Amino acid sequence: MSIQFTQGRLKPLALSMAVSSAIVCQSAIAQEQSFSLPEQSLATAVSQISTQGQLQLLYDKSQLNGLRAPALSGNYTAQTALQKILIGSGLELVNENGVFVIRPQNLNQGTLVLPETQVSGVVQNHPTTDVMSAPQYVTSEEISQKNTGDGNITDLMKTNPAVQFANNDSNSMNQGEIKPSRISIHGSSSYQNAYRLDGVSFNNDFDPADSGLGETSTRLSSGDQGIYIDSRLIDSMAVYDNNIPVEFGGFTGGTVEVNSRRWQGENSAHAYYRLTRSGWNNLFHDSSQGIDTTKNDTANPARFQNRFDKSDFGGWFELGVSENSGLVFSASRRSSTIPMTVTGGEAFVLENNSIEPIFSDSGKKNQRRTSDNYFLKYSVDLSEKSSLDLSANYASYDSRLFSSSVSNSGYDSTHDGLGFTAVFKQQLDLGQLEVTANTQDLKDDRKNDQKYALTVRAFDANWQMIERNSGGLGDLESKQKNHGLKTVMRFNQQEDGLGLMHQPTMGAEVNYTKGTYLRDNDYFRYTYSGDLDENDVYTGHLSNINRFRAGSYSADYTNYAIFLDDSIQYGKLTLRPGIRLDRDDFVNRTNIAPRLSGVYDVFGDSKTQIIAGANRYYGRSMLTYALYGAQNGGMQNCWGDEDNPCSMNPNNNSWDNQKDYEGLESLKTPYNDELTLALQQEILSTTWRLQYVHREGYDEVRNRTKYDNPRDPNTRNIRTFDNGGRSSHDTVTLSTSNTQPWEWADASHVMTASFTWQQSESNTPKDAGYTAYDPANKVNLNKVWYDGKVIDASKLPSTSFNSPIKLNLELTSVWDEYDVTWYNRLQWWGARSQAVRYDNSYYSDPEVGQIRKYTKQNFASKYTWDTRLGWKPDFAYGFGFSVEVNNVLNNKNIADRFVFEDRTLKSYDAGRQFWLQVNYDL
């Protein structure tokens, strides 16, 4: 039978149409069958499912051209199988009077996106069908309905029960920032997560954790992610946090897998514009210290921000090049302008090797942040069994900063990433072969207005000390270059003759990483000391010079990996044993990571399932290890007095090397051991999952003094890296979601919810990098004083990422009749106790010696309600409008405490904030 169907109308016979060859009763349609389909063209997959399921199906075959279907394995009804392979295709399956129809998905604001549910039957290359890992999976349609904040991918993880955010990354004092927030997955360090775009890492390996000291002369302020991706431009994101397949490596926390858009077989265009203002946001602050921008210093030039204007705009288009190929191009710009108060007044600069006064007016001056994303992908289906994707990605982050009280302190800081990726997929008789090749360049660069720093200290006529400063921290650059090749073979499910069904995955990869640390010219910090007479005439001498020598230093390493796992199914039991071997020529160790997970379908109907796993994950090798000597090894000091001052000519000075490092000792790769246990239950139209995850962290890298000789000035500051870091973490989560939309009040509703308890303990602060350093000598790092007693340092509660109890609820409601979508997110955090060390004090114990002293700080519980209301009326010709409100109830929630000017101050979460957006779909 040959019939055509498109959007509810019969079309001329010239258009190709397809319908399943058999018409059967509804009881047959509802019967589950065993499917084992490889990744292939969508047209082929639809035909095979409709034929095997004897399902009457109408569709326009031309709408399927150029589209791919994911692999599918397991027991489903034909209707469910079709719904799963249509995910992300832009098409949907509907039942019209007993006949199933595939038609273009309604992309209006009124489209309801149903979260993916887990099913029996393991498909390792698509997150929605992996019941063992159960990753968070977010599609582009869901992203368009949520509160997306600044548009970073971490903003999509706010309700992920395994994810904790840094306590103080986004508070009322820094709402002008647009960089991604740091996250911890199951208690691991934020820089030990793996970020991947289309299977390619975009991690920044230059010690991205914030040490709390802000900008320094030897360190660039960067982030965990080498590329700041705009979440609104992606196709989907999956966050793996437990029972993670062997294909993923280079983490102790989790893997964030981002997938870019692919040509969907038709031409289209989409655009949006968003904005918010500080006037639309309530900014809370400590009553003893207002948000005073004049308090921003050189190390923390943007700590206080009481004004900002933010705007985002971007979009993408899809264009067919031929019948089987097409382009996707996307671009966006996120920007922020942050007015600051500059104090102005008198300062000094160097002119012709002499001190000259300068004067500047007080007033307002703008800091700026800009993040640009550009992406281009060409996709071609070479045949029904092979495809090729070629993509280029460029992301740039630029910031203009300065200290409000230091003249000529402005500098431009850039964070750029450029990558090229090729992905080839070939369907073979045995399964699917996937080959990925990539090259990527990341760069951080700081350029200062004044190429030196000058401090002038003088006693005035009243013997009061006056200090004037000018200049910045010096020009600096770091580069990270990556080249990679990865091949994966995903075998089809097959029986071994013993009643066991196997579906192996095997692969190998090689990645080359090179880091370069560069200072083009010597950087000088001059200090003059002297007096001012009654006429403010300065007389003094050059008392001190800090010199950071120019130079370039590079380090590189190559990482090799092979991995193998097998999904073995026998009756109701499915096991996934696997092993991953990693080796790099930096630590020169072969790391063997065994992984085992399984699911038992208790009644054989996919309603009640028990999931368990035991896994090991090895972390990343940081370029900081190898480049630390270059960063700090170039510092020299000249000390002078009134009789023998230092000279402006560096060749005339006697320089003391300020060395604090003597090279690397033997290091191991940090790793985590994980145990998991979960119960998943289908109840009516909801899926419930109760899960426990336990992590033990070993060989975490920390920084300490190398020599126990506090009186020797040549050795007391020498530091080294070791593997003494130790941590443990527990998570218990109860989560639920509805598998079918609930219908009431003339609307469809989709809900997800979770309740989580977590506990983290660690002897190394999770909010500090590998270069976090305690300058005291003879400190016993294995013990600490906490809350009145001496304990093992590994039992110290986490100093950040430490909310022990969290409740999340998301509800998306759609009124099709009115083209309205309403998204709501409610979150509650329980009270917490936090280990703090505000005064950097120590405790001397007669048995264990000198140890770090921590106290307990209690924080009250808090909650927020965020909402987004979208409207896309039919009469608007593709235009849509939305308003996003965060913290609707304007709750004043304490985020953290910090030390400022010898006082401990409170920082608060942002109050009520509004975002407005207009979008257009063509």
Side-chain angles (χ1 to χ4, degrees):
M1 184 167 67
S2 179
I3 303 176
Q4 301 186 53
F5 181 90
T6 299
Q7 297 181 348
R9 296 177 305 203
L10 293 176
K11 299 187 71 178
L13 294 178
L15 294 178
S16 63
M17 261 310 294
V19 66
S20 60
S21 58
I23 302 176
V24 295
C25 64
Q26 291 297 317
S27 60
I29 294 175
Q31 183 178 359
E32 285 192 351
Q33 302 179 54
S34 177
F35 290 93
S36 180
L37 303 177
E39 180 178 343
Q40 57 190 324
S41 70
L42 185 59
T44 302
V46 167
S47 176
Q48 291 177 352
I49 292 174
S50 61
T51 300
Q52 180 178 340
Q54 298 185 358
L55 180 68
Q56 182 182 9
L57 181 65
L58 299 177
Y59 61 96
D60 183 349
K61 191 173 182 180
S62 65
Q63 294 175 344
L64 277 58
N65 290 339
L67 301 181
R68 305 287 293 178
L72 183 69
S73 178
N75 297 321
Y76 314 100
T77 65
Q79 178 184 354
T80 301
L82 285 169
Q83 288 174 333
K84 289 195 168 294
I85 66 169
L86 290 175
I87 292 173
S89 69
L91 302 171
E92 63 182 351
L93 182 72
V94 296
N95 188 332
E96 295 191 354
N97 300 320
V99 177
F100 287 95
V101 178
I102 295 177
R103 69 182 186 189
Q105 190 176 40
N106 178 15
L107 294 178
N108 287 339
Q109 207 61 31
T111 299
L112 182 65
V113 181
L114 185 66
E116 300 309 318
T117 58
Q118 311 303 322
V119 296
S120 64
V122 178
V123 181
Q124 295 168 295
N125 62 329
H126 200 283
T128 62
T129 55
D130 189 349
V131 68
M132 297 180 195
S133 303
Q136 176 194 14
Y137 185 68
V138 185
T139 66
S140 58
E141 290 85 4
E142 291 175 287
I143 294 170
S144 69
Q145 296 171 343
K146 294 176 178 286
N147 291 44
T148 54
D150 292 318
N152 297 300
I153 60 174
T154 50
D155 293 326
L156 304 177
M157 306 180 204
K158 288 190 174 181
T159 57
N160 188 314
V163 172
Q164 294 261 21
F165 283 74
N167 296 348
N168 216 15
D169 263 10
S170 180
N171 58 59
S172 276
M173 298 186 304
N174 59 15
Q175 284 298 291
E177 301 298 336
I178 59 177
K179 290 174 65 173
S181 297
R182 295 169 296 165
I183 63 168
S184 171
I185 297 179
H186 287 308
S188 186
S189 301
S190 63
Y191 44 87
Q192 282 289 4
N193 298 314
Y195 292 95
R196 295 159 38 115
L197 174 63
D198 294 333
V200 175
S201 170
F202 60 95
N203 280 77
N204 169 34
D205 290 333
F206 271 96
D207 190 30
D210 184 358
S211 64
L213 300 177
E215 293 273 352
T216 68
S217 295
T218 61
R219 182 181 182 276
L220 292 163
S221 179
S222 188
D224 309 330
Q225 301 171 38
I227 297 175
Y228 301 156
I229 293 175
D230 191 331
S231 65
R232 291 174 288 264
L233 302 182
I234 66 175
D235 184 68
S236 64
M237 181 191 74
V239 182
Y240 291 85
D241 68 87
N242 72 99
N243 291 334
I244 305 174
V246 294
E247 181 180 344
F248 304 117
F251 63 89
T252 58
T255 293
V256 180
E257 181 81 358
V258 180
N259 292 301
S260 63
R261 297 180 185 272
R262 192 178 194 271
W263 177 62
Q264 298 295 313
E266 59 182 18
N267 299 336
S268 64
H270 314 266
Y272 66 87
Y273 178 77
R274 292 164 44 87
L275 76 160
T276 188
R277 301 287 183 264
S278 53
W280 304 350
N281 189 346
N282 286 333
L283 303 178
F284 298 119
H285 60 84
D286 194 304
S287 59
S288 63
Q289 172 63 63
I291 305 179
D292 185 356
T293 60
T294 64
K295 300 292 187 179
N296 293 326
D297 55 24
T298 303
N300 293 282
R303 184 199 297 269
F304 299 107
Q305 304 171 16
N306 60 357
R307 295 286 304 278
F308 60 86
D309 293 330
K310 288 184 180 180
S311 63
D312 299 349
F313 61 90
W316 66 96
F317 68 81
E318 302 182 25
L319 178 66
V321 177
S322 66
E323 182 180 357
N324 297 316
S325 67
L327 290 170
V328 174
F329 176 76
S330 62
S332 72
R333 164 163 286 194
R334 293 168 283 173
S335 62
S336 177
T337 301
I338 311 169
M340 298 287 188
T341 300
V342 292
T343 55
E346 182 187 50
F348 296 91
V349 295
L350 294 173
E351 296 287 348
N352 299 321
N353 292 337
S354 63
I355 297 177
E356 299 291 341
I358 59 172
F359 298 87
S360 59
D361 296 330
S362 61
K364 294 291 184 181
K365 188 177 179 180
N366 291 336
Q367 292 191 9
R368 297 185 303 275
R369 314 284 189 269
T370 304
S371 181
D372 292 327
N373 272 228
Y374 300 96
F375 183 83
L376 176 66
K377 176 187 280 188
Y378 173 68
S379 302
V380 54
D381 289 326
L382 303 173
S383 68
E384 288 192 353
K385 293 187 176 182
S386 62
S387 67
L388 176 66
D389 291 335
L390 302 174
S391 61
N393 183 45
Y394 174 71
S396 174
Y397 172 83
D398 296 291
S399 61
R400 173 68 177 174
L401 300 103
F402 52 82
S403 172
S404 297
S405 58
V406 178
S407 297
N408 295 347
S409 60
Y411 61 92
D412 295 294
S413 184
T414 63
H415 177 76
D416 296 334
L418 175 64
F420 299 92
T421 303
V423 180
F424 173 74
K425 296 180 180 180
Q426 175 69 53
Q427 185 61 46
L428 306 172
D429 292 339
L430 293 177
Q432 179 181 273
L433 174 67
E434 181 177 317
V435 180
T436 303
N438 73 281
T439 181
Q440 184 182 80
D441 288 294
L442 307 177
K443 184 176 76 170
D444 286 282
D445 187 20
R446 183 175 66 203
K447 298 294 185 185
N448 285 258
D449 295 346
Q450 183 175 303
K451 302 303 181 182
Y452 60 90
L454 174 62
T455 297
V456 175
R457 298 191 180 103
F459 287 99
D460 63 14
N462 297 318
W463 291 101
Q464 297 295 316
M465 172 63 75
I466 297 174
E467 181 175 305
R468 300 288 185 265
N469 296 281
S470 69
L473 297 170
D475 295 354
L476 207 57
E477 184 177 311
S478 65
K479 298 179 181 179
Q480 179 178 322
K481 184 180 291 291
N482 304 304
H483 306 295
L485 179 64
K486 178 178 180 179
T487 180
V488 183
M489 182 65 190
R490 310 181 199 277
F491 291 91
N492 297 332
Q493 193 175 52
Q494 52 190 334
E495 188 174 357
D496 63 1
L498 301 176
L500 298 177
M501 299 297 295
H502 296 266
Q503 191 172 16
T505 297
M506 63 182 300
E509 59 183 305
V510 57
N511 292 281
Y512 170 79
T513 301
K514 179 179 181 180
T516 303
Y517 181 88
L518 176 65
R519 192 189 298 276
D520 287 330
N521 299 290
D522 285 3
Y523 167 69
F524 295 90
R525 291 198 305 236
Y526 302 102
T527 300
Y528 277 82
S529 301
D531 301 291
L532 287 173
D533 62 19
E534 296 179 353
N535 299 316
D536 286 340
V537 176
Y538 176 79
T539 56
H541 64 279
L542 184 52
S543 58
N544 174 237
I545 304 176
N546 302 129
R547 177 169 71 169
F548 294 83
R549 301 302 303 271
S552 175
Y553 189 84
S554 297
D556 62 354
Y557 57 87
T558 303
N559 177 272
Y560 308 89
I562 56 174
F563 50 87
L564 170 66
D565 70 9
D566 186 10
S567 176
I568 306 172
Q569 185 175 356
Y570 179 74
K572 301 176 182 179
L573 178 65
T574 301
L575 293 177
R576 188 174 66 193
I579 190 168
R580 181 182 176 96
L581 277 69
D582 287 275
R583 182 177 180 83
D584 66 55
D585 52 15
F586 179 68
V587 297
N588 283 319
R589 294 178 183 270
T590 300
N591 299 317
I592 303 175
R595 302 185 193 177
L596 174 65
S597 55
V599 56
Y600 180 69
D601 188 354
V602 178
F603 302 109
D605 58 0
S606 304
K607 303 295 185 183
T608 304
Q609 300 179 87
I610 299 174
I611 303 102
N615 305 279
R616 173 168 291 185
Y617 311 122
Y618 277 93
R620 311 184 64 79
S621 288
M622 288 294 188
L623 288 167
T624 296
Y625 300 154
L627 296 176
Y628 184 81
Q631 292 177 358
N632 279 27
M635 182 178 176
Q636 297 178 323
N637 290 321
C638 172
W639 302 99
D641 55 34
E642 190 171 358
D643 296 326
N644 295 290
C646 295
S647 171
M648 289 295 297
N649 186 344
N651 296 324
N652 296 335
N653 293 320
S654 176
W655 296 98
D656 294 330
N657 292 319
Q658 190 68 27
K659 185 174 65 171
D660 67 349
Y661 185 69
E662 289 184 346
L664 283 171
E665 298 178 0
S666 177
L667 281 179
K668 303 175 185 177
T669 306
Y671 68 94
N672 268 20
D673 282 341
E674 173 190 82
L675 295 175
T676 69
L677 181 63
L679 172 65
Q680 184 165 298
Q681 178 68 52
E682 301 285 338
I683 302 177
L684 298 178
S685 61
T686 61
T687 300
W688 295 75
R689 187 177 179 111
L690 177 63
Q691 179 166 285
Y692 170 67
V693 176
H694 175 73
R695 292 279 190 91
E696 290 288 338
Y698 300 93
D699 291 342
E700 296 174 354
V701 179
R702 64 183 182 181
N703 200 337
R704 61 172 176 81
T705 54
K706 186 174 182 178
Y707 302 104
D708 294 331
N709 190 355
R711 297 182 179 179
D712 186 348
N714 295 319
T715 61
R716 65 187 179 190
N717 292 323
I718 302 298
R719 66 180 72 182
T720 187
F721 296 110
D722 69 18
N723 288 109
R726 183 78 165 80
S727 65
S728 65
H729 180 85
D730 295 280
T731 303
V732 178
T733 301
L734 176 63
S735 60
T736 184
S737 61
N738 55 332
T739 56
Q740 296 293 330
W742 296 331
E743 303 289 340
W744 79 82
D746 297 322
S748 298
H749 308 270
V750 168
M751 178 274 299
T752 62
S754 65
F755 181 80
T756 306
W757 172 85
Q758 298 193 37
Q759 177 177 281
S760 294
E761 297 174 338
S762 175
N763 65 359
T764 54
K766 295 300 182 184
D767 52 349
Y770 285 107
T771 56
Y773 177 65
D774 192 328
N777 298 92
K778 293 186 176 180
V779 175
N780 184 345
L781 297 179
N782 297 316
K783 299 285 185 177
V784 295
W785 188 95
Y786 175 64
D787 194 30
K789 59 183 178 181
V790 177
I791 64 171
D792 288 339
S794 61
K795 299 300 181 181
L796 184 71
S798 178
T799 56
S800 187
F801 311 98
N802 57 2
S803 296
I805 300 176
K806 185 169 69 170
L807 175 66
N808 298 306
L809 174 63
E810 290 183 287
L811 180 65
T812 305
S813 305
V814 172
W815 286 264
D816 285 321
E817 183 178 355
Y818 304 104
D819 303 309
V820 170
T821 298
W822 188 18
Y823 169 82
N824 288 280
R825 177 175 64 206
L826 287 87
Q827 295 183 277
W828 176 82
W829 295 264
R832 75 179 195 268
S833 297
Q834 180 174 318
V836 298
R837 190 166 173 247
Y838 296 134
D839 53 2
N840 294 322
S841 59
Y842 300 90
Y843 177 78
S844 294
D845 184 85
E847 295 184 4
V848 299
Q850 188 180 35
I851 55 179
R852 293 174 297 184
K853 186 176 182 180
Y854 290 85
T855 57
K856 179 187 289 187
Q857 180 73 68
N858 295 318
F859 292 84
S861 62
K862 61 182 183 179
Y863 67 94
T864 62
W865 170 26
D866 305 323
T867 190
R868 182 182 186 275
L869 187 64
W871 182 43
K872 190 175 181 182
D874 288 337
F875 63 78
Y877 299 102
F879 280 99
F881 312 90
S882 67
V883 57
E884 180 178 315
V885 188
N886 297 314
N887 195 356
V888 175
L889 301 179
N890 201 34
N891 293 328
K892 191 175 183 179
N893 298 320
I894 296 179
D896 206 354
R897 285 181 167 88
F898 66 101
V899 176
F900 180 72
E901 295 182 342
D902 298 325
R903 292 177 296 155
T904 301
L905 303 177
K906 301 173 185 175
S907 64
Y908 293 86
D909 292 333
R912 184 187 298 116
Q913 181 182 28
F914 292 88
W915 282 88
L916 297 181
Q917 176 175 315
V918 59
N919 50 274
Y920 178 71
D921 298 304
L922 176 64

